[in-house]
């Protein structure tokens, strides 16, 4: 039965299971960076230690915001706003890493990570756009209900 349930997740039209998987990896990367101390990451090397601390914070906090928003989405509009904030932060974290990785790539570094993070960043941007559209649609429905009263 667990296999049947796992396959049913793949058959859904939702991106949520994949979003959760990727965001857990972002959290894992951030926690790993905190536990290991000052890792020699591309972000720290290219953009400096302050950017590295901010980037690690984004890796941990923003996916958690999205997860909390997912829990409260059906109960409160704040859930959608939390998801939007979290998705935006993940997109920014991806962009920061992409910018640092691009500078390193021009200096002869590996480019595979750059392309993967650019794709993940574009996915995060798509989630931000989806969140904004969802919030605007809910606003339109609320306004139309207010007019009908």
């Amino acid at each position: 039965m667990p296999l049947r349930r796992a396959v049913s997740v793949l058959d859904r039209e939702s991106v949520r299971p994949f979003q959760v998987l990727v965001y857990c990896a972002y959290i894992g990367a951030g926690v790993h960076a905190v536990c290991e101390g000052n890792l020699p990451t591309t972000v720290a090397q290219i953009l400096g230690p302050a950017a590295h601390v901010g980037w690690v914070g984004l890796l941990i906090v923003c996916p958690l915001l999205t997860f909390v928003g997912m829990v409260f989405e059906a109960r409160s509009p704040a859930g959608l706003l939390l998801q939007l904030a979290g998705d935006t932060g993940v997109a920014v974290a991806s962009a920061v890493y992409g910018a640092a990785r691009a500078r390193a790539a021009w200096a002869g570094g590996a480019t595979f990570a750059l392309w993967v993070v650019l794709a993940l960043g574009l996915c995060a941007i798509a989630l931000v756009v989806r969140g904004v559209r969802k919030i605007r649609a809910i606003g339109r429905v609320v306004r139309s209900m207010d007019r009908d009263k």
Side-chain angles (χ1 to χ4, degrees), residues 39-136:
L39 290 174
T41 67
T42 302
V43 174
Q45 292 170 353
I46 302 292
L47 302 177
H52 182 262
V53 169
W55 176 69
V56 169
L58 289 173
L59 291 177
I60 297 170
V61 172
C62 293
L64 291 174
L65 283 175
T66 298
F67 294 160
V68 170
M70 287 175 178
V71 171
F72 291 106
E73 176 181 10
R75 295 182 218 149
S76 168
L80 291 173
L81 294 173
L82 285 170
Q83 287 182 64
L84 180 63
D87 293 340
T88 302
V90 169
V92 169
S94 298
V96 167
Y97 184 79
R101 193 74 241 159
R103 276 188 80 189
W106 293 122
T111 59
F112 180 77
L114 170 63
W115 290 106
V116 170
V117 170
L118 286 176
L120 290 172
L122 290 173
C123 289
I125 290 169
L127 291 170
V128 169
V129 170
R130 181 188 72 163
V132 168
R133 291 174 52 81
K134 206 185 252 190
I135 290 168
R136 291 182 69 202

Side-chain angles (χ1 to χ4, degrees), residues 10-65:
L10 296 176
D11 291 338
R12 289 190 214 148
E13 293 295 321
S14 174
V15 299
R16 185 159 287 178
F18 309 105
Q19 180 183 17
V20 168
L21 179 67
V22 171
Y23 282 18
C24 284
Y26 273 70
I27 293 169
V31 168
H32 182 249
V34 169
C35 291
E36 291 297 319
N38 194 11
L39 290 174
T41 67
T42 302
V43 174
Q45 292 170 353
I46 302 292
L47 302 177
H52 182 262
V53 169
W55 176 69
V56 169
L58 289 173
L59 291 177
I60 297 170
V61 172
C62 293
L64 291 174
L65 283 175

